[in-house]
Each structure stands twice: as C-alpha cells, then as structure tokens.
C-alpha cells in the first residue's frame, strides 16, 4: 500500500482508522483455516491457494505460484515481476490478476491499489483485497493478500487471470464455511490503541489491461483515457 501522510484536518482520525482496517489486527492471535485449491494452471505454470489465516476483521490468503522451468532466453522476464504487477507499467497486460466474490455478491480485485476507491467520503468500508507482501524467484513465488472481511457462509469465488502465461479468467468456487468457523477461534489480546491522528491520502492507483467484458472489468469499471501512474 502507498500512503501520503499529512497532519491536521477534521477527517484525519477517520482516515487513519480506515487505513488500519486495511491491515490484519495487531491485537489478535489469528486462527488457521484449511483452505487450499489449484486456482489455475497450464503446462508451464500453476497458481494455487495454500491456506488462509483468519482474524476478526478479515482473512489473510496465501497464494503460491510455481513454474515448470526457468524463463526462456528470448523471454527474460522475472517471475516475481510478472506476479507482482507493481513492477510493470499499468498497460502492460502481463500481471497476475486475482479477485474474490463473496456469497452476498460483494467483489474485490487486487489490481494496482484497489483499496483507494474505498476511502470515500462516507464511513462505509466495503470489501477490498490488499497485497501484504511477497517473495520468490526463479520458479517459485509466494504472496499474501489481505481480504478486509471474513466471508459469509456460502460460496467463495476466487478469480484468477494471467495473460503472460495464457491463463484466461478462471473461477474457483470454494466453501467459505471453514473461514467463519476459524473466526470463532480468534483470540483478542487487548483493546486497540487509538489510531494516529495523521491524515492518510492515498495515491491514485494504476490500472492494468483487463479482458473486455470480463469479471475484472465489471469490478474495476471500463477504462478511462487516463489509466493512472505507473507503479
């Protein structure tokens, strides 16, 4: 995530509180949920869900990528750069794209900085999917994504697309029940200390190329003449 902090302003505390919600709670011991699946695969690459860690306010999803062989001599791209879209221009079209759709219809996609549109003038915080760090190299890549709500019971749809490896929009349907069950096991250590009074002003997000008429375009909206700055 990217923040620009400045002091003052009547909405500073509210903005800081929203920013805090974009991270796992620091005052809790979470509970693990047995949730795994192959999200998409080809002959050369596979993307999978390798478990989830549940907090009271959201879920940390672990995504893994495995590649069959090293990059070809005429395709020297780095796996981490492709999987972590921030290393690419927004219009490059080679990023790994991930999204979620809850049983109640709420949706979020991890493209650019999708949390930006949730810091609106009202106090509502809808669902967002936020990158929480990643690493790897060569043929492996592991990443964590913070889902800002615990999904309700029912179907949890995870959407994956990766143009660089010929993976179209692929939907995997999972049972969200284990996540709700794990939420009951979360331990709160102490009350949350007051958030900083700084005002957090998010930078405009970069918008990568997505398939016209697909799931990701429905979530992000139609492209504009200004795709936003490269990240």
């Amino acid at each position: 995530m990217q923040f620009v902090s400045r002091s003052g302003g009547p909405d500073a505390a509210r903005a800081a509180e929203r920013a805090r919600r974009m991270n796992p709670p620091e005052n809790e011991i979470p509970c693990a949920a047995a949730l795994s699946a192959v999200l998409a695969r080809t002959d050369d690459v596979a993307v999978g869900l390798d478990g989830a860690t549940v907090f009271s306010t959201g879920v940390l999803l672990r995504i893994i990528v495995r590649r069959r062989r090293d990059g070809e001599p005429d395709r020297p791209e780095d796996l981490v750069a492709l999987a972590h879209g921030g290393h690419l221009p927004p219009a490059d079209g080679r990023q790994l794209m991930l999204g979620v759709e809850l049983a109640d219809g709420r949706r979020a996609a991890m493209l650019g900085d999708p949390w930006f549109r949730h810091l609106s003038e009202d106090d509502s915080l809808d669902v967002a999917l936020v990158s929480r760090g990643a690493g790897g190299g060569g043929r492996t890549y592991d990443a964590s994504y913070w889902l800002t709500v615990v999904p309700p019971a029912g179907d949890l749809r995870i959407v994956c697309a990766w143009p660089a490896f010929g993976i179209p929009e692929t939907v995997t349907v999972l049972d969200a029940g284990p996540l709700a069950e794990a939420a009951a096991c979360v331990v709160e250590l102490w009350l949350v200390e007051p958030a900083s009074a700084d005002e957090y002003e998010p930078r405009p997000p970069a918008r990568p190329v997505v398939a016209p008429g697909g799931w990701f375009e429905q979530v992000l909206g139609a492209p504009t003449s200004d795709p936003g700055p490269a990240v």
Side-chain angles (χ1 to χ4, degrees), residues 118-135:
H118 297 295
L119 295 180
S120 57
E121 292 301 321
D122 59 39
D123 290 323
S124 64
L125 177 66
D126 203 352
V127 59
L129 189 63
V130 184
S131 175
R132 286 292 300 165

Side-chain angles (χ1 to χ4, degrees), residues 33-213:
L35 204 66
S36 64
V38 176
L39 302 179
R41 63 176 298 178
T42 67
D43 291 339
D44 298 312
V45 68
V47 181
L49 172 65
D50 186 34
T53 304
V54 182
F55 294 78
S56 65
T57 59
V59 179
L60 199 62
L61 301 173
R62 294 188 297 277
I63 301 297
I64 63 173
V65 174
R66 297 296 181 263
R67 193 172 181 181
R68 184 175 182 178
R69 56 178 66 89
D70 296 328
E72 302 296 334
D74 60 341
R75 293 183 62 197
E77 70 273 9
D78 176 66
L79 180 62
V80 175
L82 287 176
H84 198 280
H87 294 267
L88 300 173
D92 187 277
R94 293 185 294 144
Q95 296 96 327
L96 169 64
M97 295 180 283
L98 294 170
V100 296
E101 183 169 343
L102 311 185
D104 57 14
R106 288 178 294 170
R107 300 182 294 183
M110 179 51 209
L111 295 172
D113 292 316
W115 54 269
F116 172 81
R117 60 192 178 91
H118 297 295
L119 295 180
S120 57
E121 292 301 321
D122 59 39
D123 290 323
S124 64
L125 177 66
D126 203 352
V127 59
L129 189 63
V130 184
S131 175
R132 286 292 300 165
R139 305 179 186 183
T140 66
Y141 175 85
D142 300 328
S144 296
Y145 293 91
W146 172 242
L147 180 62
T148 61
V149 297
V150 177
D155 290 341
L156 171 65
R157 290 175 168 82
I158 300 182
V159 187
C160 174
W162 202 349
F165 290 100
I167 296 177
E169 290 188 6
T170 305
V171 180
T172 302
V173 182
L174 303 172
D175 177 15
L179 299 177
E181 294 173 1
C185 301
V186 174
V187 177
E188 183 182 69
L189 300 174
W190 41 71
L191 295 178
V192 176
E193 292 295 320
S196 169
D198 287 344
E199 181 176 357
Y200 292 85
E201 180 182 341
R203 298 173 182 173
R207 187 190 190 281
V209 172
V210 299

